[in-house]
Amino acid sequence: MPTRKQSASIAAIGVTRTQLYVQEDLGWLFREQPTEDYGIDAQVEIVDGDKVRGRLLAFQIKSGESWFDQPTAGGWWFRPDEDHARYWINHSLPVAVVLYDPRTNLCHWQLVNDSTLEQSRAGGWRLLVPEAHVLDRDAAAVFRRAAAGDPFQLRLRELQLSRPWMDMLAEGTRLVVDIEEWVNKTSGRGSITLGIDHEDGKDPEPLANWGVWLGLASYADVVPRLFAWADVNVHEQTYDWADQEFSGGNGLRPYKNGAGEVDFWRLELALNELGKAFVVVDRFASDGLPQLAPPRP
């Protein structure tokens, strides 16, 4: 009979506990990241009341008693390897390491930056995770300050995070957006899932999922702004098969309704001029040679 390693179970519980603390104590959005995102397990988006403003944090989550084996005054030492340390320091988002202790069901955290990440005498890296840094509502102020930025920088962060999806579109992968909109809720509650259409007649392979509350705003108007680097159109095959007629702004509309409660949408993305230009600029900024610039006064 197949068995599951205990370490895998604890790791999953740690992610779930972190998600609960973020959503219930902080009231923010939690998005688990795909496994191929090296060194980052989740993104957390700050919510102000009912406003989602694009302020993001990246979480690396470690679960289990072994991560608490190096106690020190006021907390525990966490020792990342060289690759992870440099990856986090250079990440486009502020990064926090979260340690989940299954003995207490608490999550302890520390931001990763030049002030908190130390190089030991032996040449390795270490990060002090304070015992007092418990993931609860008291962490909100520090996280808000870390995620704050001017609108220009926030937009660049969002584009950088979407770059892998831009690359997929540029390589010919079909990306679709599935939406479930609860039409009888004034909160505009719904879910948005980005996935790959393998054109095999099966459901798309999910890449990311978000819970949203758009209030009275129209999904047809808001969703294209959430994927500003792509043109958004209806997924022709799905709508050809649908037997219901809907109207919608910009030609975007649901293809069916379930029990009078939920509208279902399936939209397709195509890389637009913004996306194409950003891929070129981001590639240059990552790999290009330093440029001559006017000297600072």
Side-chain angles (χ1 to χ4, degrees), residues 223-237:
V223 170
R225 300 205 298 269
L226 299 179
F227 300 93
W229 41 270
D231 291 330
V232 182
N233 297 289
V234 297
H235 184 259
E236 292 293 347
Q237 291 90 332

Side-chain angles (χ1 to χ4, degrees), residues 150-201:
D150 62 61
F152 179 82
Q153 293 296 331
L154 290 172
R155 290 251 173 150
L156 282 182
R157 286 181 187 176
E158 293 166 354
L159 289 172
Q160 287 171 323
L161 288 168
S162 301
R163 168 71 190 277
W165 301 330
M166 298 181 204
D167 289 339
M168 288 182 180
L169 289 176
E171 294 164 0
T173 302
R174 294 186 71 178
L175 296 185
V176 297
V177 178
D178 279 313
I179 301 170
E180 295 183 10
E181 176 192 2
W182 292 78
V183 294
N184 295 324
K185 305 291 184 182
T186 57
S187 63
R189 173 190 168 193
S191 68
I192 298 176
T193 302
L194 179 68
I196 299 174
D197 180 4
H198 291 289
E199 302 182 72
D200 55 4

